[in-house]
Structures are given as structure tokens and as C-alpha cells.
């Protein structure tokens, strides 16, 4: 992806160049290197980043998956008329073209061989010819017509061939000027249908293109619209070996196959291929299109300009696919995505419609999302006892099928050996005791789930015979993304079942075998009440960033993993709420009135019991009066025995002659046997330190002074605040929630360990008898009562 700095660095230059480029291009002048100071600056401004990618491949078979597109060596980019031209169809979209040229240049400088098939000559020529016609009007006619009438002066219909002849030179001059900014040379090639059907001309064209690519020159190909004859109806595609160049879609497909291209990118004014005409209410973008799927698609009208249309694009794409070239059709006009659409496609991101000959064995993630939505709604309508029964059955399966589960987990551990760090291997590992604990936690969830969905939160009598209720309901569809820990799957599944939520799960590939068996057992449990599809495990090659774009299917994303994973998801999920913790920077403040034995025991448990956990201790704050006391010495000795690496905070380092390495940042989550120690002068300073450097996860005070402890508990603004207790208690199971979907440090409806309550929202139910608002107006017959009514008692059994 182009970095923001890289794109923004060239944007002002593009803006400065455009008026000059437009003027030069309109005159048809050739723009050479060094002819403008801005271009000379552009050439010396920066080297475009070069990446090393395995680009060589044997042509003959198209890529099966999007993720493989990053290996494309030779790429054709086809720019449709709607992409190249402005909305008024007179002139070119210069800013859009500048962005496209930048992306093509970046890929070219990565070592790829780029070719452009472009439209735009007719539109550019139309703009120039209209300008010439207006100028040719007599001065007298212009004076008598008046300025407004002059603008509305009738202009004869311009013949397309004449427009193409007038516009082609200017179009090429524009491309030359833009590519020169990146020290890339471009070459123009005009073709007609005969150039492909005449064997000698075809060989000449092939040789020319190969020579240009060998010399690192970008060929810019267009149909020679000044001389091309009208296309014969329905003659664009006549099999694998014959294709008529009646439009640039056909030209791009023919060229891609002829040149044994790896990838053809067709940019249009729509996001891709839809199952019904774009703009219709039920139109859905087709992520992957397979040969033979044409019958499931209804094509709409052609674009506002150009000769193609989506049906022509699909035919051309399938023809190219049959010839061994992968194809993506995407939107090149959307202002928010056109600046990186080409590079996104080459990086394998889910953009537009990808044409593939390999159908996946299972459903697509979009289909899984629809199944989860439907299954989740059915799950929510089950009786509480039925949902509890599903969870009890899953708990039984975890104990009954332990041998099969541990065998699958053993495969994951063997494959991860040497690739994962020790703490991650520990997270990945399952054991009999872990599975037994899981089963106990699931039974707790089942027992407490009886009164979750449909619980009345508030009742109000609005007026006589008009009563309002606020009741709990599921959030909808949850996407839970988790790393390493397969035990997360049954925990989250049980919480989703208890709250009637549909669940889409994305686990790490390191736990693939474990996740697969645990998901099968979950679906087996769901099947006892016919809601098997309510929980789906994503097994396709979906990137997390692509999943975060399914805003029409997913209501809440819950990441469980590293702080980096959480940050990446928060950045990617622009339209979906994310519930997660930014980091687990947990503090423990040891007060001057702390017990020696308690402090040592609490520090050991918080730091050493499971250092990879997000609720492990990362910073130890020591009251200044404790330095060089037995309490301090005992803590240090314990940490040395436990082989904990100590980092000194700035104040702590100043007290020592020979100190440990000074900490680089007081905002560090180590996730290992490492600990920062800092000195504070008071409980107030400890609180201020926590607020400045903490992550609002879990913070602890160790003291025997109740007044000091209560001051700390009330003033520390974190999700979990403890007195004389290990940070490791910050956990859904230990809180009695049965399990958790994660620990939230945000200030949304759920904070801290998130169990059943955090996966519910509410809706309002109003029951009336022909009530209308006008009856409550100043002269109406009814008055608002707003009486609070008793709420039915929750089932606590």
C-alpha cells in the first residue's frame, strides 16, 4: 500500500503540475524530461520504495486466490472511459489520472512489468474541438449573443473519429508528463482489430511490446479510434482464439492473453460485479466470480460513456481467465479508494470482483455472514432453557471428546515448534485440566443464562393503557478474532449462545487443527435445536482487514490477542464498533504501609504466574520510603530468583549507583518476564503515574491502610482496580462470569472482563390502545403520567 506520507508528498506537486500539464497536453506538445523545474524536483525528490517479491511464475494458469496476486509479474491496467473522463464527458479527470499513474509507477519500480490500456482520446478531443468551434465563431456573433447566450451556443454533434484524432496526441502528452515525474518512460501504441487477426502484424505488435517491457518502458495502448470501423454486433467474443477488438475491454483481454499477462485489472465506475444491477435495493457485490455463474447475474445498463458495459467486461474477463490471466474488475472513480485501488488489488486485498477458476470447498465469508445473521436470529428466539441446554451439551462434549481435541492440539504444537515464542506456545497448548476448567466455566454460563435475553430493565406507564418496557436483546452478529488460544473458541461460543448472538470466528492459523475440532463440537451442540449455522469459523484465506469491511453483516468486532492486533483492527474497522483493550499495561503500587509478605506474594503472582497474559503486571510502583528496606530487598530477591529482567524508571535509576537498564518507555507491555520499577512519593503520585502511563486495564494497591486503599480505589480510572489482590484476577472466569469474550478498556457499555451482560443491548417495547401524540398536545384529552412500574424479579436460581 502507498504510505500516507508518500501519497501526500506528491499531491501538492501534482496540483502544481496539472495546469501546466493540461496546457501542454491540450497543445499536443511533447513534454520531455527536465523541461519543468517541478519535474526535475520530482526526479530527485525520493526513490520510490523498491520491494523484493518472488515475481517470476510460469504462465498458463490463473491465480486461484487473491492472496497470490502479490506474485503477479506482468500486469495490464485497463482504464475505462468513465475512469479517465470527467463527469461532464468533456475533458479528462486529471487528479484521478495522476493518482493512477503514481500507483502504476510504484508497481513498475518494484520490478513489475506494467501496461496501460486507456480510453479518453475521444473525450479529450471533444473538449479540444468544442473549444476550437467556439473560438471560430465570429467576433460579431459573440458580441451580439451576450456572454450567457454564448455559453448556450449550439455546437454541432462531433463525430467520434474526428474527436479521437484530435485528442490522441494530447492524451499521450499528458501521460508522458505524468510518468516523467517518476523517471519512467512511456510509449504509445495504437491498434485496430486487424492488428490481431493479421499474423504478421500480430507478431510485430507482440515483439514491440516485449521490447518495450524489456527496456522498462510502460506501453500505453489504445484502439485507433480515428480509423477503426464500427464493430459487428455480437462479434466481440468468438472463442478462445478469436476476439474482436470492438472496445477497450476486449482489447485489454486480447492483449493480456497475447502477452501472457499474470493479472488484468479493469477499472470502471462501479465497485465490481453485482448479482443484480448496481443501485437496486438488493444488489450485492460479488467478491469472487467463477465461470458458469453468468446465469446468476442480471446485467444493468452501460456506463454513461464508453462502448463496453458490465456484460462486455465479464465476457472479456472470462475470455482472459480461460487464457490463463487472472482478472479483477474494480471501481477506479471513487475518490476514497481510487488513490490506492491498483496497489490494493496487487497486495491481494478484497477490492472489486476477482475472477477465479477454483471454487472453494465451503461457503464464502459473505455467505457465512448471512448464515450467521439468520441463524443468530433463530437462536435468539429459542427459550432460555433451550440455549442453556446447548451450552451444557457443549460442556459435556469438551470432556467426552478430550482425546480427539488433544490430538488435534498436538498437531498444532508440533507445527508451531520453532516458529512461536514460548509464551505463545503456552497459549496454544491445551491440556486435560484446561478442558475440564473450560467445561466448568461453560456450565456456569449455562446456569446464569436463564434470564439474559428478554430481561425487563425498566417499565414506565406513559399514560393510561400505554406502557413502555426496555428489554435486553442480542447485539446481533459478533466477529471475534483471536490469536493462538484455541480455548477462546468454546468460551466465546458459549457466551454468544447464551445471549442469542450470531458468531463469526477468525482464529490464528497456528491453531487451525484445534479450532476445527472445537468448532465441529460447537456445531454439534447447536444442532440439538436446529441452529447449527449460528456460529461459523472462517476457514478461507480472508485477511483481517477484509473481514473488518463487512459492515453490513457484522455489528461488533471483538479482538482477542496482542495490543498490535487490537490496534490494527481498530484502524481497519472504520464502520464497525470494536470492543477491546488497547494494551495491558497493569500497575501495582506498593504503599509505605504495605505488608512485606503480601507485597512479595502479590508481585510474584501478578508478574510470574503467566507473564504473557494481558492482566500480568508490567510496572511496579514503590513508595520512596521503602527503598533499602527489607520489603524492597525481598521483592528484588524474589524477582531475581524468578529470572525477571528489571528495567529502572527515571526516578528509580537516580537513586541507584549501579542501576538496571533504564526503561526506554514507561508505556511498555512486555508480555514476558520483564518488569519496570519506578519510585513515587505518595499514593497521589502513583495515581497520576497510572493515569499518565497506564492503559486503564487493571491496577492494584498493596497497603494495610484502609483509608489509603479506598482513596486509590475511588480515584484510579481503570476498568479494574484492586486492593491487596493480584492483577491476574482480572478475568471473566475468576469474576464468576463463566468466561469472557475479552477485557474492554474502552468506555462503551461494557468495561473490564466482558461476559453475558456485555454482549447484550436493549430495545424499547411500547404497548398501547390507539394512542396518538396529538392527544397529548396542549388542548388534547390526555396527559403524560411517566410512572415507574416495578420490574419483574430476575431468576437467580
Amino acid at each position: 500500500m502507498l504510505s500516507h506520507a508518500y501519497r501526500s508528498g506528491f499531491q501538492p506537486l501534482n496540483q502544481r503540475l496539472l495546469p501546466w500539464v493540461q496546457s501542454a497536453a491540450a497543445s499536443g506538445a511533447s513534454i520531455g524530461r527536465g523541461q519543468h523545474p517541478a519535474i526535475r524536483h520530482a526526479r530527485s525528490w525520493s526513490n520510490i520504495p523498491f520491494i523484493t517479491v518472488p515475481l517470476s511464475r510460469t504462465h498458463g494458469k490463473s491465480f486461484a486466490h487473491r492472496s497470490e496476486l502479490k506474485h503477479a509479474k506482468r500486469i495490464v491496467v485497463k482504464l475505462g472511459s468513465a475512469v479517465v473522463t470527467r463527469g461532464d464527458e468533456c475533458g479528462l479527470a486529471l487528479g484521478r489520472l495522476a493518482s493512477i499513474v503514481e500507483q502504476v509507477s510504484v508497481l513498475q519500480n518494484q520490478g513489475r512489468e506494467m501496461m496501460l490500456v486507456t480510453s479518453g482520446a475521444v473525450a479529450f478531443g471533444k473538449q479540444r474541438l468544442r473549444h476550437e468551434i467556439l473560438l471560430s465563431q465570429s467576433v460579431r456573433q459573440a458580441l451580439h449573443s451576450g456572454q450567457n447566450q454564448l455559453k448556450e451556443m449550439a455546437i454541432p454533434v462531433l463525430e467520434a473519429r474526428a474527436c479521437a484524432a484530435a485528442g490522441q496526441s494530447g492524451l499521450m502528452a499528458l501521460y508522458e508528463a505524468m510518468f516523467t515525474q517518476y523517471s519512467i518512460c512511456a510509449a504509445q501504441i495504437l491498434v485496430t482489430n486487424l492488428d490481431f487477426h493479421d499474423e504478421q502484424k500480430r507478431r510485430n505488435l507482440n515483439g514491440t511490446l516485449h521490447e518495450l517491457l524489456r527496456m522498462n518502458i510502460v506501453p500505453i495502448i489504445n484502439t485507433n479510434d480515428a480509423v477503426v470501423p464500427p464493430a459487428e454486433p455480437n462479434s466481440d467474443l468468438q472463442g478462445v482464439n478469436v476476439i474482436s477488438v470492438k472496445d477497450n475491454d476486449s482489447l485489454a483481454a486480447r492483449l493480456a492473453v497475447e502477452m501472457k499477462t499474470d493479472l488484468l485489472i479493469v477499472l470502471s465506475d462501479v465497485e465490481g460485479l453485482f448479482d443484480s444491477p448496481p443501485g437496486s435495493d438488493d444488489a450485492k457485490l460479488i467478491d469472487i466470480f467463477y465461470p458458469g455463474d453468468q446465469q446468476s447475474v442480471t446485467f444493468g445498463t452501460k456506463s454513461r460513456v464508453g462502448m463496453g458495459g458490465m456484460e462486455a467486461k465479464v465476457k472479456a474477463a472470462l475470455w482472459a481467465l480461460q487464457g490463463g490471466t487472472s482478472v479483477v474488475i474494480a471501481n477506479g472513480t471513487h475518490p476514497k479508494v481510487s488513490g490506492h485501488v491498483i496497489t490494493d488489488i496487487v497486495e491481494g486485498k478484497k477490492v472489486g470482483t476477482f475472477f477465479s477458476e477454483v471454487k472453494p470447498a465451503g461457503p464464502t465469508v459473505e455467505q457465512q455472514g448471512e448464515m450467521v445473521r439468520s441463524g443468530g436470529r433463530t437462536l435468539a428466539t429459542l427459550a432460555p432453557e433451550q440455549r442453556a441446554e446447548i451450552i451444557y451439551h457443549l460442556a459435556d462434549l469438551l470432556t467426552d471428546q478430550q482425546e480427539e481435541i488433544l490430538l488435534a492440539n498436538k498437531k498444532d504444537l508440533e507445527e508451531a515448534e520453532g516458529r512461536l515464542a514460548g509464551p505463545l506456545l503456552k497459549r496454544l497448548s491445551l491440556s486435560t485440566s484446561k478442558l475440564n476448567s473450560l467445561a466448568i466455566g461453560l456450565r456456569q454460563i449455562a446456569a446464569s443464562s436463564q434470564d439474559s435475553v428478554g430481561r425487563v430493565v425498566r417499565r414506565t406507564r406513559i399514560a393510561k393503557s400505554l406502557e413502555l418496557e426496555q428489554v435486553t436483546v442480542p447485539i446481533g452478529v459478533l466477529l471475534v478474532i483471536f490469536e493462538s488460544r484455541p480455548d477462546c473458541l468454546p468460551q466465546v461460543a458459549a457466551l454468544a449462545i447464551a445471549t442469542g448472538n450470531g458468531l463469526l470466528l477468525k482464529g490464528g492459523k497456528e491453531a487451525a487443527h484445534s479450532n476445527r475440532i472445537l468448532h465441529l463440537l460447537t456445531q454439534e451442540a447447536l444442532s440439538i435445536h436446529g441452529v447449527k449455522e449460528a456460529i461459523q469459523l472462517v476457514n478461507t484465506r480472508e485477511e483481517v482487514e477484509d473481514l473488518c469491511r463487512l459492515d453490513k453483516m457484522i455489528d461488533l468486532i471483538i479482538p482477542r490477542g496482542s495490543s498490535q492486533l487490537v490496534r490494527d483492527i481498530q484502524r481497519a474497522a472504520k464502520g464497525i464498533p470494536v470492543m477491546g483493550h488497547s494494551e495491558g499495561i497493569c500497575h501495582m503500587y506498593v504503599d509505605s504501609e504495605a505488608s512485606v509478605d503480601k507485597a512479595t506474594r502479590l508481585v510474584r503472582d501478578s508478574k510470574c504466574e503467566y507473564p504473557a497474559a494481558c492482566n500480568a503486571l508490567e510496572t511496579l510502583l514503590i513508595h520512596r520510603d521503602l527503598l533499602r528496606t527489607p520489603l524492597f530487598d525481598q521483592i528484588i530477591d524474589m524477582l531475581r530468583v524468578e529470572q525477571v529482567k528489571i528495567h529502572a524508571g527515571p526516578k528509580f535509576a537516580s537513586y541507584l549507583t549501579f542501576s538496571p537498564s533504564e526503561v526506554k518507555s514507561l508505556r511498555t507491555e512486555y508480555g514476558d518476564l520483564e518488569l519496570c520499577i519506578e519510585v513515587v512519593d505518595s499514593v497521589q503520585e502513583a495515581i497520576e503515574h497510572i493515569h499518565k502511563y497506564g492503559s486503564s486495564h487493571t491496577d492494584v494497591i498493596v497497603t494495610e491502610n484502609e483509608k489509603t486503599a479506598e482513596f486509590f480505589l475511588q480515584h484510579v480510572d481503570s476498568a479494574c482496580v484492586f486492593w491487596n489482590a493480584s492483577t491476574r484476577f482480572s478475568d471473566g472466569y475468576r469474576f464468576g462470569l463463566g468466561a469472557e469474550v475479552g477485557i474492554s478498556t474502552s468506555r462503551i457499555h461494557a468495561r473490564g472482563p466482558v461476559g453475558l451482560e456485555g454482549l447484550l443491548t436493549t430495545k424499547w417495547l411500547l404497548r398501547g390502545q390507539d394512542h396518538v401524540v396529538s392527544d397529548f398536545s396542549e388542548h388534547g384529552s390526555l396527559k403524560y403520567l411517566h410512572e415507574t412500574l416495578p420490574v419483574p424479579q430476575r431468576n437467580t436460581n
Side-chain angles (χ1 to χ4, degrees):
M1 178 188 293
L2 297 177
S3 67
H4 173 73
Y6 185 79
R7 287 198 297 269
S8 60
F10 260 103
Q11 191 63 26
L13 176 61
N14 287 341
Q15 291 172 353
R16 294 197 305 272
L17 276 175
L18 286 181
W20 173 75
V21 169
Q22 188 174 13
S23 173
S27 66
S30 174
I31 303 170
R33 297 181 185 179
Q35 289 182 328
H36 190 276
I39 284 184
R40 290 196 299 273
H41 172 72
R43 294 181 61 197
S44 60
W45 169 76
S46 172
N47 290 325
I48 296 175
F50 187 90
I51 63 171
T52 303
V53 291
L55 297 178
S56 60
R57 65 184 289 262
T58 303
H59 187 82
K61 190 173 182 181
S62 61
F63 294 118
H65 306 283
R66 281 184 185 270
S67 59
E68 298 171 346
L69 295 180
K70 63 175 68 76
H71 302 302
K73 163 77 172 177
R74 186 170 292 172
I75 301 171
V76 171
V77 178
K78 185 265 177 179
L79 309 180
S81 299
V83 175
V84 176
T85 62
R86 299 197 314 238
D88 60 6
E89 303 176 25
C90 294
L92 304 180
L94 295 176
R96 199 182 296 149
L97 275 181
S99 176
I100 289 169
V101 167
E102 180 180 11
Q103 294 173 76
V104 170
S105 300
V106 167
L107 295 173
Q108 180 82 1
N109 281 285
Q110 288 177 355
R112 306 180 199 267
E113 297 174 344
M114 304 298 297
M115 291 180 277
L116 274 184
V117 175
T118 181
S119 302
V122 174
F124 202 180
K126 185 185 293 184
Q127 180 190 33
R128 294 184 64 188
L129 292 181
R130 283 186 173 183
H131 183 67
E132 291 298 323
I133 291 171
L134 285 173
L135 289 177
S136 67
Q137 303 290 338
S138 66
V139 175
R140 182 176 303 169
Q141 183 180 2
L143 291 173
H144 286 289
S145 298
Q147 189 65 27
N148 291 332
Q149 293 183 18
L150 181 61
K151 289 181 179 178
E152 299 173 0
M153 190 179 298
I155 297 176
V157 176
L158 300 174
E159 205 274 334
R161 292 194 189 115
C163 292
Q168 190 64 47
S169 59
L171 178 64
M172 191 59 203
L174 180 64
Y175 276 121
E176 284 183 346
M178 288 181 171
F179 274 111
T180 299
Q181 295 183 63
Y182 305 98
S183 300
I184 290 177
C185 182
Q188 180 184 35
I189 296 180
L190 297 177
V191 298
T192 66
N193 199 30
L194 295 176
D195 295 318
F196 287 101
H197 292 294
D198 183 286
E199 187 62 26
Q200 184 60 48
K201 289 184 177 180
R202 189 181 65 80
R203 283 200 299 268
N204 292 343
L205 174 62
N206 190 299
T208 300
L209 287 170
H210 275 94
E211 183 65 15
L212 292 173
L213 294 177
R214 188 187 67 81
M215 296 170 65
N216 202 34
I217 295 172
V218 175
I220 299 176
I221 305 102
N222 196 356
T223 51
N224 192 350
D225 293 323
V227 300
V228 69
E232 298 177 12
N234 302 318
S235 64
D236 57 331
L237 297 166
Q238 299 292 340
V240 175
N241 298 315
V242 181
I243 182 169
S244 172
V245 182
K246 78 169 188 179
D247 55 54
N248 277 347
D249 297 314
S250 305
L251 168 61
R254 177 67 200 243
L255 184 73
V257 174
E258 181 72 26
M259 293 296 296
K260 296 182 171 59
T261 301
D262 300 318
L263 173 62
L264 167 61
I265 298 174
V266 179
L267 296 184
S268 180
D269 57 352
V270 292
E271 281 70 18
L273 183 60
F274 289 78
D275 58 359
S276 56
S280 58
D281 292 338
D282 56 350
K284 294 179 182 177
L285 179 66
I286 299 173
D287 171 42
I288 306 177
F289 190 77
Y290 307 98
D293 283 355
Q294 294 94 311
Q295 284 70 28
S296 63
V297 177
T298 304
F299 294 103
T301 58
K302 295 181 180 180
S303 67
R304 58 179 173 82
V305 290
M307 298 177 62
M310 188 53 70
E311 188 170 9
K313 288 176 176 57
V314 171
K315 287 181 178 180
L318 291 173
W319 192 90
L321 187 68
Q322 193 174 358
T325 296
S326 295
V327 183
V328 174
I329 297 178
N331 192 335
T333 63
H334 196 291
K336 290 186 178 181
V337 298
S338 59
H340 46 84
V341 59
I342 299 173
T343 49
D344 279 356
I345 290 170
V346 176
E347 288 175 9
K349 294 184 179 178
K350 188 173 283 191
V351 179
T353 299
F354 172 63
F355 286 71
S356 175
E357 291 187 299
V358 180
K359 275 201 171 187
T364 66
V365 70
E366 288 81 7
Q367 291 169 332
Q368 285 184 301
E370 291 174 357
M371 289 189 287
V372 166
R373 173 75 72 186
S374 176
R377 285 173 175 159
T378 304
L379 178 66
T381 63
L382 295 179
E385 297 79 11
Q386 292 175 305
R387 289 193 295 271
E389 188 181 352
I390 294 172
I391 301 170
Y392 280 125
H393 187 50
L394 178 56
D396 293 339
L397 288 172
L398 290 179
T399 54
D400 294 344
Q401 304 293 326
Q402 280 191 9
E403 186 176 339
E404 194 174 351
I405 296 169
L406 294 177
L407 186 61
N409 185 244
K410 183 181 178 182
K411 291 181 182 178
D412 287 326
L413 290 170
E414 289 172 351
E415 292 175 6
E417 192 68 41
R419 295 192 298 110
L420 291 183
L424 291 178
L425 277 174
K426 190 175 180 181
R427 287 186 182 186
L428 177 60
S429 176
L430 292 176
S431 63
T432 300
S433 61
K434 262 190 180 182
L435 292 175
N436 289 335
S437 296
L438 270 176
I440 293 170
L442 264 58
R443 292 186 179 100
Q444 288 181 355
I445 294 172
S448 60
S449 69
Q450 300 287 334
D451 194 25
S452 56
V453 180
R455 175 171 52 86
V456 179
V457 178
R458 179 184 305 171
R459 292 180 67 219
T460 305
R461 180 176 286 120
I462 304 296
K464 185 179 178 181
S465 301
L466 184 63
E467 293 188 1
L468 178 69
E469 280 186 347
Q470 185 183 19
V471 299
T472 57
V473 294
I475 289 175
V477 173
L478 312 175
L479 168 62
V480 177
I481 302 169
F482 56 101
E483 296 176 320
S484 299
R485 293 179 53 180
D487 54 329
C488 171
L489 194 152
Q491 288 178 331
V492 174
L495 289 169
I497 294 166
T499 52
N501 284 289
L503 179 61
L504 201 58
L505 292 158
K506 172 66 174 175
K509 60 184 179 182
E510 66 279 357
H513 299 293
S514 305
N515 289 337
R516 189 175 300 113
I517 180 63
L518 291 170
H519 177 245
L520 287 173
L521 295 177
T522 302
Q523 289 200 312
E524 183 179 335
L526 288 163
S527 297
I528 66 175
H529 288 297
V531 285
K532 178 182 177 181
E533 294 182 341
I535 297 180
Q536 298 283 326
L537 179 66
V538 178
N539 289 315
T540 55
R541 301 189 183 192
E542 298 294 333
E543 298 294 334
V544 168
E545 187 172 337
D546 293 329
L547 291 172
C548 291
R549 293 174 180 171
L550 302 176
D551 56 304
K552 294 182 180 178
M553 297 180 181
I554 297 167
D555 299 298
L556 179 66
I557 301 176
I558 304 173
R560 291 193 62 172
S562 66
S563 57
Q564 185 61 50
L565 172 72
V566 177
R567 284 194 295 268
D568 290 344
I569 290 173
Q570 287 171 332
R571 277 195 296 267
K574 295 181 173 59
I576 310 173
V578 177
M579 182 167 66
H581 64 83
S582 55
E583 290 167 307
I585 305 176
C586 302
H587 292 74
M588 180 177 287
Y589 165 58
V590 181
D591 185 51
S592 59
E593 298 181 66
S595 160
V596 175
D597 293 336
K598 284 182 183 177
T600 305
R601 181 175 161 86
L602 291 171
V603 172
R604 178 190 285 112
D605 189 78
S606 297
K607 177 73 262 185
C608 308
E609 197 267 341
Y610 190 4
C614 65
N615 56 13
L617 176 65
E618 304 294 6
T619 299
L620 179 64
L621 301 176
I622 302 283
H623 193 284
R624 181 183 58 181
D625 294 347
L626 295 177
L627 293 178
R628 301 183 181 88
T629 66
L631 185 151
F632 177 76
D633 293 340
Q634 189 166 321
I635 291 175
I636 296 299
D637 289 342
M638 179 274 296
L639 292 173
R640 187 179 296 112
V641 170
E642 296 289 343
Q643 298 183 326
V644 177
K645 182 179 180 180
I646 296 175
H647 302 276
K651 288 186 68 175
F652 181 44
S654 68
Y655 282 97
L656 304 173
T657 306
F658 299 101
S659 67
S661 61
E662 187 168 341
V663 69
K664 295 180 181 178
S665 170
L666 291 167
R667 290 192 182 93
T668 302
E669 181 181 13
Y670 298 103
D672 207 345
L673 286 173
E674 296 185 57
L675 180 69
C676 171
I677 297 180
E678 183 57 310
V679 174
V680 292
D681 293 338
S682 65
V683 65
Q684 182 62 49
E685 188 177 333
I687 292 169
E688 291 172 358
H689 180 103
I690 290 169
H691 287 165
K692 185 174 183 179
Y693 299 109
S695 61
S696 300
H697 192 292
T698 301
D699 299 293
V700 176
I701 183 171
V702 182
T703 185
E704 296 302 300
N705 188 311
E706 183 177 351
K707 184 177 179 181
T708 303
E710 287 301 325
F711 183 84
F712 184 90
L713 293 175
Q714 297 303 319
H715 287 80
V716 171
D717 185 19
S718 295
C720 300
V721 189
F722 301 162
W723 172 24
N724 287 350
S726 168
T727 60
R728 295 279 289 117
F729 278 105
S730 182
D731 175 83
Y733 174 74
R734 296 176 185 124
F735 275 17
L737 305 178
E740 66 185 40
V741 293
I743 295 180
S744 172
T745 56
S746 58
R747 286 166 172 78
I748 55 174
H749 72 291
R751 198 175 183 204
V754 180
L756 295 178
E757 296 290 331
L759 299 183
L760 295 169
T761 184
T762 61
K763 70 178 179 182
W764 298 90
L765 305 177
L766 185 63
R767 297 180 176 92
Q769 293 180 2
D770 194 32
H771 286 81
V772 294
V773 170
S774 58
D775 287 343
F776 294 86
S777 63
E778 184 178 353
H779 303 292
S781 58
L782 296 177
K783 299 295 182 184
Y784 289 110
L785 299 177
H786 293 150
E787 295 176 1
T788 299
L789 300 175
V791 174
Q793 292 298 310
R794 296 183 60 181
N795 180 8
T796 57
N797 293 328

